[in-house]
Amino acid sequence: MELWATEDQTPSLRFSCKITETLKVEQTDFQHLAVVNTEQFGKMLLLDGMVMTTESDEFVYHEMITNIALNSHPSPRKVLIIGGGDGGTLREAVRHPLVDTAVLVEIDEKVINASKEFFPELSFSFNNPKAQVVVADGIKYVQLRKKEFDIIIVDSTEPVGPAVELFSADFYRDCFSALNDEGMLVVQSESPFFNAGVIQMAFGGVSQIFALTKLYLASVPTYPSGLWSFTIGSKKYDPAIPLNKNQGGLKYYNADVHQAAFKLPGFVENIIARK
Ligand code: SAM
């Protein structure tokens, strides 16, 4: 009998992957968690039936949600990651030569444990001397921080469950206050093909608060539509300009991809212009 993992990407579109092994299934205090081994993408983490990360394409998302801000800010010393319990974004942050400290605030410890058990290529970053791991609600965490971070990265799930408020203007305002005067905020903002409303919520909210707000794109095969967006708000520096050009040795990110990611097709320009 064949087993398939299926995500409903839209009410009328399903994405199915053939499973070779079911490794873990549990209901946590916050969400349904599953780890499966798939024939096409290797090990895959799903939360509430949605693909969070896979062995074969995680590098795209993790390199792009992290290195755009880290390479367009002259001194990204202290980084805060909200969510990101799989450890991939933390891995990219602690790998960066200019980063001294990376604090990860994840609400669901079961996600961290599942990553330690099944995704060593992501979770080894939890033991890095630059890393601090906090199990807490990121929304409450930023409310208590003032001018403390250079970069804040929101590596959240879709706006469901504990992540709904992570797409709110109030949360973005608290992030603004938690950043120092040259700070940058990056949030994953979903698919231009299927989630225009989420992009408008994120881009609209961030651009109300930050002097400079831009959207950039990357292709993540296992995410809905395969085209993913990130919204970046900056207090001072232009995030589309890579200052640190020698961030080599990555599989997706480089200085040319950095600049190209901000060159948006017309239909995406229309989404953020609300046309
Ligand atoms: N890359 C994935 C995506 O784009 O869908 C996200 C990966 S990461 C596993 C998302 C994490 O955000 C989950 O582990 C979830 O528990 C966490 N999360 C959701 N709401 C949160 C909150 N309010 N505070 C901290 N972490 C939160």
Side-chain angles (χ1 to χ4, degrees), residues 11-274:
S12 50
L13 176 69
R14 287 187 170 153
F15 174 77
S16 285
C17 299
K18 195 171 176 185
I19 295 176
T20 56
E21 201 181 348
T22 299
L23 298 166
K24 190 177 197 74
V25 177
E26 71 173 310
Q27 182 60 41
T28 79
D29 295 346
F30 301 94
Q31 50 214 339
H32 183 272
L33 182 154
V35 180
V36 296
N37 213 339
T38 68
E39 225 167 71
Q40 185 67 49
F41 298 106
K43 280 177 287 182
M44 175 185 278
L45 168 68
L46 300 108
L47 294 176
D48 289 339
M50 294 176 273
V51 178
M52 291 295 120
T53 197
T54 81
E55 271 181 302
S56 76
D57 68 354
E58 58 82 10
F59 65 94
V60 181
Y61 176 89
H62 291 128
E63 289 182 15
M64 290 301 279
I65 197 170
T66 313
N67 286 293
I68 295 282
L70 295 187
N71 290 310
S72 55
H73 190 295
S75 56
R77 299 244 167 270
K78 195 161 183 191
V79 177
L80 171 62
I81 300 163
I82 304 278
D86 53 69
T89 299
L90 182 64
R91 178 193 66 203
E92 294 306 321
V94 295
R95 183 201 318 238
H96 198 281
L98 297 179
V99 172
D100 298 336
T101 308
V103 180
L104 181 134
V105 178
E106 163 61 56
I107 199 169
D108 192 343
E109 188 158 20
K110 294 288 175 63
V111 175
I112 295 173
N113 297 346
S115 184
K116 285 180 177 171
E117 192 176 353
F118 299 105
F119 296 92
E121 68 286 356
L122 300 177
S123 57
F124 73 92
S125 55
F126 292 130
N127 307 320
N128 187 290
K130 296 181 181 181
Q132 293 170 21
V133 179
V134 180
V135 176
D137 183 345
I139 293 156
K140 296 198 178 72
Y141 184 89
V142 286
Q143 286 168 353
L144 306 173
R145 304 287 165 325
K146 300 296 175 231
K147 292 189 184 287
E148 190 174 331
F149 297 98
D150 301 301
I151 308 284
I152 297 179
I153 299 171
V154 185
D155 177 6
S156 75
T157 51
E158 281 65 7
V160 293
V164 170
E165 284 303 305
L166 294 177
F167 291 80
S168 70
D170 286 348
F171 171 70
Y172 297 145
R173 239 185 299 282
D174 291 335
C175 288
F176 186 94
S177 309
L179 286 163
N180 67 33
D181 297 339
E182 302 179 347
M184 288 183 181
L185 169 68
V186 187
V187 306
Q188 72 88 4
S189 47
E190 311 269 317
S191 160
F193 284 103
F194 300 153
N195 313 108
V198 175
I199 292 180
Q200 287 167 343
M201 186 163 54
F203 193 91
V206 173
S207 54
Q208 272 171 34
I209 301 159
F210 285 80
L212 186 55
T213 299
K214 292 192 171 180
L215 191 90
Y216 63 95
L217 301 173
S219 58
V220 184
T222 58
Y223 283 4
S225 81
L227 185 62
W228 213 240
S229 76
F230 304 87
T231 296
I232 184 162
S234 177
K235 293 188 178 186
K236 180 171 181 181
Y237 304 104
D238 184 345
I241 301 175
L243 302 174
N244 171 5
K245 289 209 167 43
N246 56 22
Q247 181 61 11
L250 300 177
K251 293 199 286 182
Y252 191 91
Y253 176 89
N254 61 47
D256 295 332
V257 166
H258 184 133
Q259 294 163 83
F262 289 89
K263 309 290 181 206
L264 303 177
F267 87 97
V268 181
E269 290 284 10
N270 289 344
I271 291 172
I272 55 178
R274 292 175 182 266

